[in-house]
């Protein structure tokens, strides 16, 4: 028997996907300015060549580096932390703090330079954030950070570069 898809069936399936949380989310407004970015047209093989295995797994496949493995945990100079994929600035060094988690953590982010989505990979809803220009995965946002924001942008060190001031 051949499957027949009428408009009503398609709309019902789309509504069911949206209700289940499995539908793709719309791009953040912060990502709109970057839709024509050449970084969005780079092939996965080219990303792997450019980034190396560890950074490629995190930035392009949403993996997580081992805690306490990043030299950026001990980076305390003045400067800017930028996306390793495309060099878009994401964090000022003044926003960095030691969360004790083993990953570089920040209380603030350059909001226009990130996008977010809901991540349910481990069975609970978390806010994933990524570079708005190249869509490279950076980490997750938690609401257990210090004052004044209460935010902890928990970042993978292999997803960042540091540019001293």
């Amino acid at each position: 028997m051949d499957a027949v898809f009428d408009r009503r069936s398609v709309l019902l399936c789309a509504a069911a996907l949206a209700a289940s949380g499995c539908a793709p989310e719309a791009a953040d407004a912060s990502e709109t300015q970057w839709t024509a970015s050449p970084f969005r047209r780079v092939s996965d093989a080219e990303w792997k060549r450019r980034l190396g295995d560890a950074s490629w797994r995190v930035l392009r496949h949403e993996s997580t580096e081992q805690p306490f493995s990043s030299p950026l945990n001990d980076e305390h100079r003045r400067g800017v932390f930028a996306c390793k994929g495309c060099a878009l600035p994401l964090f000022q060094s003044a926003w960095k703090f030691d969360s004790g988690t083993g990953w570089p953590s920040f209380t603030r982010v350059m909001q226009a330079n990130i996008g977010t989505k809901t991540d349910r990979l481990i069975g609970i809803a978390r806010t994933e954030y990524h570079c708005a220009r190249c869509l490279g995965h950076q980490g997750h946002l938690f609401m257990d950070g210090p004052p004044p924001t209460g935010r902890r942008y928990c970042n993978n060190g292999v997803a960042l570069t540091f540019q001293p001031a």
Side-chain angles (χ1 to χ4, degrees):
M1 182 170 151
D2 292 326
V4 176
F5 294 102
D6 61 12
R7 183 171 180 228
R8 183 171 184 234
S9 297
V10 171
L11 289 173
L12 286 172
C13 287
L17 278 174
S20 72
C22 294
E25 297 182 34
D28 281 309
S30 61
E31 292 178 29
T32 306
Q33 67 176 318
W34 303 111
T35 55
S37 169
F39 291 103
R40 298 214 180 164
R41 293 187 296 277
V42 175
S43 72
D44 194 51
E46 178 62 15
W47 276 121
K48 189 171 185 177
R49 188 191 67 74
R50 288 182 186 186
L51 297 169
D53 285 342
S55 295
W56 170 76
R57 281 192 303 273
V58 169
L59 283 162
R60 307 317 308 169
H61 294 278
E62 299 183 9
S63 185
T64 302
E65 70 185 352
Q66 290 295 313
F68 302 101
S69 64
S70 175
L72 293 181
N73 284 329
D74 298 320
E75 181 56 69
H76 302 292
R77 295 175 290 171
R78 284 187 37 232
V80 173
F81 292 86
C83 174
K84 187 168 184 175
C86 68
L88 187 67
L90 301 176
F91 304 100
Q92 293 180 15
S93 59
W95 303 337
K96 187 173 183 281
F97 73 101
D98 183 2
S99 65
T101 61
W103 291 282
S105 297
F106 304 86
T107 59
R108 290 186 171 95
V109 66
M110 295 176 186
Q111 201 65 47
N113 293 351
I114 66 157
T116 62
K117 68 179 184 180
T118 301
D119 171 4
R120 292 183 175 84
L121 187 64
I122 64 170
I124 59 169
R126 300 180 296 169
T127 301
E128 181 267 353
Y129 63 94
H130 51 269
C131 173
R133 180 162 52 193
C134 73
L135 303 177
H137 171 73
Q138 293 293 321
H140 291 87
L141 169 62
F142 300 98
M143 297 307 293
D144 60 3
T149 67
R151 294 173 183 236
R152 174 171 55 99
Y153 290 89
C154 186
N155 218 94
N156 288 282
V158 296
L160 295 171
T161 59
F162 179 71
Q163 303 160 353

